[in-house]
Amino acid sequence: MNDIASSSFVRRDLLAERPAPVKTTGFVGLMRTRLFNSPTNILLTVLGALLLWFTIVPSVRFLMVDAVWSGKDRAACLTENVGFAVGACWPYIQAKLPQLIYGFYPEAERWRVNLTFVLAVVLLVPLLVPRLPAKGLNASLFFVAFPVVAFFLLHGGGIKGFGLSWTAGLLELFDDSIIGAGQALLDLSKTSAVGPLLWVVGNFVVLIGTAIHWLILPLTWLRDQIQAAGQSVWADFAVTAVIVSLIAFGLGGGLRTGWRALASSIVAFVAIAAVIKLMGLDSGGLPVVATNLWGGLLVTLVVSVTGIVTSLPIGIALALGRRSTIPLIRIFSIAFIEFWRGVPLITVLFFATYMLPLFLPGNFTVDGLVRALIGIALFTGAYQAENVRGGLAAIQRGQGEAAAALGLSWWKTTSLIVLPQALRHVIPNLVNSFISLFKDTSLVSIVALFDLLGSLRASFSDPKWSTPSTAFTGFAFAGIIYFIFCFGMSRYSLFVEHRLNAHRRN
Amino acid sequence: MSTEARKPPPQIALKIRRILGGKAGWNGVAVQLAFAAILGWIGYEIVSNARANLENQHIAAGFGFLRNNAGFDVNQTLISYTGSDTFLRVFVVGLLNTLVVSVVGIVFATLIGFIVALCRLSPNWLLSRVGEIYVEIIRNLPVLFQILFWYLAVLAALPNPRQSISLLGIAFISNRGLVIPSPIGGSGLAPFLVVLAFGIVAALALRFHARRALFQRGQVIRIWPYVLGLLVGLPLATMLVFGLPFTFELPQLKGFNFAGGSRIIPEFVALTLALSTYTAAFIAEIVRAGILSVHKGQMEAGASLGLSRGATLRLVVVPQAMRVIVPPLTNQYLNLTKNSSLAVAIGYPDLVSVFAGTSLSQTGQAIEIIAMTMGIYLLISLLTSAIMSVYGWRVSRSLGA
């Protein structure tokens, strides 16, 4: 012990303070570690600064400093009248704003568009905030009820019948077509080499058609009675409500557990009745605004929202079909998905515009906007199918096996166990698809629909506003709108992704 | 006494049921029959309606129209074409124009994309922000918007040919497009090309030899001086012997336009600019993700083996990153090819524009023309995905997975 004590050294005075370590945080630290720490880095920093200087400064000058803010026509934005090199010509945007947002939608009816926008925001915002409750109700309102209401708000017009008439009409059309096909086969059998075979098949098809005809007779009879009685909408509505509620009651479990289904069905029909009454759909509804008058941001939003709403069910169905073990359905789904994913959207739009009308019966015309919507729905549906398939593949087998062990059917397993988890997994991918869909809506301007970009392009040709800076101003304005929507969606997808992976972070 | 394991029963009925109906068994067969009936019905409806409609419009179905004279001009053709050529030739002209704009776009998109990715990965804070801003702005604007922006705003704002912007006195940009010097073959062209081809083949053989020596005997052969000599020195020497292989004809301003040189139409310039900058933003993200996907430990392991930073990147990091990068990269190339169909918006004579646009409106043969156009794009994308699946199979095999 003594040895240690004698050899130990005890310092009596304090060491001189060491200099503080180099600051590596804050702005100075950033400069030191990430900007000016080596000759190459200094060079790169200068390069970056120059790049920014030559892009940001002219942009700001163009958009703000040199811009003209008020005026009545092109004279206000000409250099020789103003006295300096003119930047953005904002009065041009002011003058064209209604056209860029509503297209040629009649001025007196524009409140309908605004109301639709407000409704969409009111329904969409709670859907996007994860913390808010009642997602199921909210989603069904947005994805099912809102499109219908929006259609009658934007397009106007009323309804002549309700569920019963529509179902009966559709079934009748289907039946007529089957009988027609059978007749065609019978006609063919008189001249064909395999006549007897065709005759048998034709007779069989006609027989099926006739059977269906007798099967749907109660429906068509009921419809004819209602049509004859006047006040057809409400009578039809009442009958449909009773039938659908009874079916819901029966499927929900009858006297034992069906009361809940019955109650929700009745509530839904009361809500539908309220909407019909409120919008006066039974008495002609709002004045019709034909879709060729729609334009600008309205068309962009209508196309993208319809695309989003319709592509998701198509995508889910195709994804399930592609994973199915039933050969024909799997092959069909694969072929369908690969076909639409392999062709450019613009050819799909050409297809929808020029080819689709040829495939429909001659007396059946489809609105130009609806044609584009069909094309976009099929196209986006194929892409969504691949996204959903990714989510389905991420669900472990054990989930399905556990459901099977509980005795759930395939439909129940899929809709209650697998799909909810799979869809939650792929929300970021779905949102990314929606971003590209939103961007791709600009393509409808090629098939003579005036979306935001199309209206912008049309407004360039107005001689009243043709100045050297018109085109740049217009593109700046439209670019800002597109950017806000797309950037917002991409941030939202990042946010959801972050939330989903919260447990995986370390 | 040993009991032999009993053979499992053949279960032929079960197997047939499985093949025909999948897991759902006979229910599956029933579903398939119903589905086939519906498909058949839809097909029948389509065919009968299309027939009736075509008859009403007095359009003869079939591909006979392809032999008719087109009767319109195309302002950019790679093969000789006049208005009296057939629609089939229009199809080929359009297809070639699509391919040329796609290839040029792909080259530029890859270049810009890799540069932006390097910017984003750079340790320099400012440069990585610049890369990020580029990617965010470009990705969040529609590609058609960007094509129209370049065409209607930027190129239209350029001065006319008389005041065109000169690039070092050899190329000129104006609102009529880009004029560049055109090469004209000289006396030394043939020997030059022969020697160049020989040099390339010899360099490839040398590389093959060096790699074999490395993998089989562990012998490192330094080949780059020879390769340089073969690819640069030999052609230079031939040039000295036989004279210049080609001379450049410089564009001259004559009157209101340029004479000499080759003119690249503004539509092509706008389309290439927009497509390559747009796709570059996506490529940059793919490359960045690919390089970040290689674990940091790989770099450290390379360093601990004594490899230099460049050698580690070249031999360890990049091959692993490429495995992640290549499939989405081809996807982007495919997207660029498909997006080139937007040429129709600005009138660049690509396949969609001259065939599905002008020819369709002249002949009214909607079904045939759109089917052919879609078929070509489908063929391109199926070929690409076939090549990609072979690539994926090779990569997974080489990794022993």
Side-chain angles (χ1 to χ4, degrees):
Chain A
M1 283 303 250
N2 266 347
D3 276 356
I4 294 169
S6 64
S7 69
S8 67
F9 165 78
V10 180
R11 182 177 267 284
R12 303 218 176 264
D13 43 356
L14 285 172
L15 269 175
E17 274 180 5
R18 275 203 247 164
V22 176
K23 200 175 167 197
T24 54
T25 55
F27 182 65
V28 180
L30 180 89
M31 297 231 312
R32 206 173 268 148
T33 53
R34 307 273 313 265
L35 291 177
F36 299 108
N37 57 343
S38 72
T40 22
N41 234 350
I42 292 173
L43 197 71
L44 290 177
T45 307
V46 171
L47 198 72
L50 280 179
L51 265 176
L52 283 182
W53 181 262
F54 282 114
T55 48
I56 288 186
V57 171
S59 313
V60 171
R61 277 189 73 102
F62 178 83
L63 293 177
M64 320 270 252
V65 181
D66 291 344
V68 174
W69 296 92
S70 60
K72 277 201 202 69
D73 58 359
R74 66 190 289 267
C77 299
L78 288 177
T79 305
E80 49 267 35
N81 296 350
V82 182
F84 57 87
V86 172
C89 180
W90 294 120
Y92 149 72
I93 294 293
Q94 262 165 26
K96 293 288 173 189
L97 196 60
Q99 197 190 333
L100 290 178
I101 292 181
Y102 306 104
F104 296 105
Y105 212 88
E107 208 168 338
E109 306 289 337
R110 281 187 191 147
W111 61 271
R112 285 155 58 175
V113 181
N114 296 338
L115 183 62
T116 317
F117 286 164
V118 170
L119 264 180
V121 171
V122 165
L123 286 176
L124 193 59
V125 168
L127 198 61
L128 295 182
V129 179
R131 213 177 297 153
L132 293 180
K135 282 280 179 286
L137 177 70
N138 199 338
S140 61
L141 277 180
F142 182 74
F143 283 105
V144 183
F146 172 67
V148 179
V149 172
F151 170 79
F152 284 112
L153 255 181
L154 292 175
H155 182 263
I159 47 176
K160 292 229 170 58
F162 199 69
L164 185 72
S165 315
W166 297 335
T167 324
L170 260 182
L171 285 175
E172 233 172 16
L173 210 68
F174 178 65
D175 188 37
D176 286 348
S177 154
I178 287 181
I179 293 180
Q183 292 293 353
L185 280 178
L186 283 181
D187 288 346
L188 209 64
S189 72
K190 285 170 194 151
T191 55
S192 167
V194 284
L197 181 71
L198 283 182
W199 187 83
V200 170
V201 176
N203 266 329
F204 181 65
V205 172
V206 171
L207 194 71
I208 293 180
T210 322
I212 293 178
H213 176 75
W214 288 107
L215 217 63
I216 62 174
L217 196 64
L219 267 180
T220 43
W221 178 81
L222 205 58
R223 186 212 29 202
D224 293 341
Q225 292 300 313
I226 291 171
Q227 297 269 342
Q231 268 301 313
S232 59
V233 173
W234 289 110
D236 192 339
F237 179 82
V239 174
T240 313
V242 169
I243 293 177
V244 171
S245 299
L246 281 180
I247 291 176
F249 183 61
L251 284 182
L255 287 171
R256 215 154 32 84
T257 53
W259 300 106
R260 205 188 142 92
L262 183 67
S264 50
S265 159
I266 289 173
V267 168
F269 274 104
V270 169
I272 293 172
V275 169
I276 291 178
K277 195 75 212 161
L278 199 67
M279 295 175 63
L281 294 183
D282 52 336
S283 53
L286 296 162
V288 173
V289 181
T291 54
N292 55 6
L293 296 178
W294 301 15
L297 190 62
L298 170 65
V299 165
T300 297
L301 290 176
V302 164
V303 173
S304 45
V305 169
T306 323
I308 289 170
V309 170
T310 49
S311 70
L312 205 54
I314 295 178
I316 292 174
L318 284 174
L320 290 175
R322 194 167 181 168
R323 281 170 63 87
S324 153
T325 53
I326 302 174
L328 186 64
I329 289 183
R330 194 180 62 235
I331 292 168
F332 173 80
S333 305
I334 292 176
F336 194 88
I337 293 173
E338 294 305 326
F339 175 76
W340 293 112
R341 275 163 49 91
V343 296
L345 178 57
I346 187 67
T347 59
V348 175
L349 289 176
F350 271 77
F351 164 84
T353 316
Y354 297 114
M355 237 159 121
L356 210 57
L358 289 177
F359 291 163
L360 295 171
N363 52 0
F364 201 82
T365 53
V366 188
D367 187 85
L369 183 64
V370 178
R371 278 185 233 161
L373 287 178
I374 293 173
I376 285 183
L378 294 176
F379 181 80
T380 319
Y383 279 85
Q384 296 295 33
E386 287 302 272
N387 285 336
V388 175
R389 192 165 72 106
L392 290 176
I395 305 298
Q396 294 140 9
R397 280 176 68 113
Q399 298 284 333
E401 286 165 359
L406 287 174
L408 296 186
S409 68
W410 183 86
W411 289 104
K412 281 196 170 161
T413 312
T414 306
S415 63
L416 298 177
I417 311 283
V418 177
L419 263 186
Q421 299 185 61
L423 288 182
R424 202 163 300 151
H425 264 293
V426 291
I427 290 177
N429 300 5
L430 294 178
V431 177
N432 285 343
S433 287
F434 294 153
I435 297 176
S436 37
L437 170 64
F438 186 81
K439 290 191 291 178
D440 283 345
T441 56
S442 57
L443 267 62
V444 298
S445 64
I446 295 177
V447 287
L449 293 172
F450 288 92
D451 73 323
L452 180 56
L453 201 57
S455 308
L456 183 73
R457 204 175 172 180
S459 74
F460 288 158
S461 53
D462 184 355
K464 194 180 165 196
W465 286 102
S466 87
T467 68
S469 64
T470 301
F472 282 101
T473 313
F475 277 115
F477 176 74
I480 290 168
I481 290 185
Y482 276 117
F483 186 81
I484 287 173
F485 274 96
C486 296
F487 190 71
M489 280 195 270
S490 79
R491 286 297 115 165
Y492 180 72
S493 119
L494 277 183
F495 158 74
V496 174
E497 202 175 340
H498 200 64
R499 234 179 96 83
L500 286 175
N501 291 337
H503 60 283
R504 259 182 239 151
R505 254 178 296 146
N506 45 12
Chain B
M1 191 180 114
S2 67
T3 53
E4 277 186 19
R6 260 193 300 170
K7 269 190 187 165
Q11 296 184 316
I12 293 171
L14 212 68
K15 276 177 188 160
I16 291 176
R17 204 172 78 179
R18 183 66 206 259
I19 290 168
L20 288 179
K23 273 183 193 159
W26 296 123
N27 283 348
V29 177
V31 168
Q32 279 183 82
L33 281 180
F35 190 66
I38 292 175
L39 278 188
W41 175 66
I42 292 176
Y44 162 77
E45 277 290 300
I46 285 178
V47 171
S48 68
N49 286 334
R51 263 193 170 166
N53 286 328
L54 287 180
E55 238 166 61
N56 285 342
Q57 298 174 13
H58 304 292
I59 298 172
F63 290 92
F65 76 96
L66 284 175
R67 283 190 292 277
N68 297 349
N69 282 351
F72 58 88
D73 270 326
V74 177
N75 61 352
Q76 179 192 310
T77 55
L78 291 183
I79 54 176
S80 71
Y81 169 84
T82 58
S84 57
D85 275 318
T86 60
F87 281 112
L88 189 62
R89 203 162 176 89
V90 173
F91 177 74
V92 177
V93 165
L95 182 59
L96 285 177
N97 282 341
T98 292
L99 290 180
V100 78
V101 78
S102 308
V103 169
V104 175
I106 283 172
V107 170
F108 281 113
T110 315
L111 271 176
I112 304 173
F114 272 78
I115 292 173
V116 174
L118 288 182
C119 281
R120 286 209 68 182
L121 288 168
S122 147
N124 187 302
W125 181 82
L126 192 64
L127 215 54
S128 72
R129 281 301 95 85
V130 170
E132 198 180 332
I133 292 173
Y134 173 85
V135 169
E136 286 299 341
I137 288 183
I138 296 283
R139 271 205 315 189
N140 285 318
L141 292 177
V143 62
L144 184 61
F145 173 91
Q146 298 185 32
I147 292 174
L148 290 181
F149 172 75
W150 287 110
Y151 186 65
L152 294 179
V154 177
L155 288 188
L158 287 175
N160 59 17
R162 289 183 66 81
Q163 278 102 37
S164 60
I165 303 162
S166 157
L167 302 175
L168 305 172
I170 49 173
F172 300 90
I173 304 178
S174 66
N175 58 7
R176 305 281 289 275
L178 177 68
V179 187
I180 53 168
S182 59
I184 293 171
S187 59
L189 184 61
F192 177 79
L193 286 181
V194 169
V195 167
L196 193 66
F198 169 75
I200 291 172
V201 171
L204 284 178
L206 215 58
R207 179 167 180 272
F208 180 72
H209 171 69
R211 282 186 82 82
R212 253 183 52 159
L214 178 66
F215 287 150
Q216 289 183 350
R217 304 194 296 277
Q219 188 185 2
V220 180
I221 305 176
R222 205 172 51 154
I223 57 164
W224 66 264
Y226 305 104
V227 170
L228 207 65
L230 277 171
L231 288 184
V232 180
L234 214 54
L236 276 180
T238 359
M239 262 200 245
L240 286 180
V241 176
F242 291 98
L244 285 175
F246 37 72
T247 50
F248 285 101
E249 186 197 25
L250 288 181
Q252 300 287 334
L253 189 63
K254 282 206 180 125
F256 288 105
N257 214 337
F258 282 96
S262 19
R263 194 172 76 93
I264 300 175
I265 56 174
E267 289 83 11
F268 182 88
V269 177
L271 195 63
T272 317
L273 264 172
L275 286 181
S276 50
T277 46
Y278 180 76
T279 315
F282 291 87
I283 291 180
E285 284 297 275
I286 289 168
V287 171
R288 189 176 83 105
I291 290 180
L292 287 181
S293 78
V294 179
H295 199 266
K296 198 168 65 174
Q298 297 285 333
M299 198 78 197
E300 290 163 1
S304 72
L305 285 174
L307 294 176
S308 71
R309 197 184 138 82
T312 320
L313 272 177
R314 191 161 51 85
L315 298 173
V316 179
V317 176
V318 169
Q320 296 186 66
M322 282 319 264
R323 191 167 49 98
V324 183
I325 290 173
V326 168
L329 191 64
T330 20
N331 226 342
Q332 287 305 324
Y333 290 164
L334 208 56
N335 277 349
L336 190 146
T337 312
K338 288 195 275 181
N339 280 338
S340 73
S341 58
L342 295 179
V344 66
I346 57 171
Y348 171 76
D350 83 319
L351 181 62
V352 172
S353 176
V354 294
F355 197 60
T358 320
S359 302
L360 175 61
S361 59
Q362 291 215 348
T363 61
Q365 305 273 0
I367 297 180
E368 295 85 354
I369 285 181
I370 292 175
M372 277 174 81
T373 316
M374 280 180 148
I376 279 289
Y377 282 106
L378 199 60
L379 191 72
I380 295 174
S381 75
L382 287 183
L383 273 182
T384 317
S385 61
I387 294 171
M388 264 309 92
S389 53
V390 171
Y391 173 84
W393 172 74
R394 272 197 53 178
V395 162
S396 64
R397 196 189 56 167
S398 74
L399 288 175

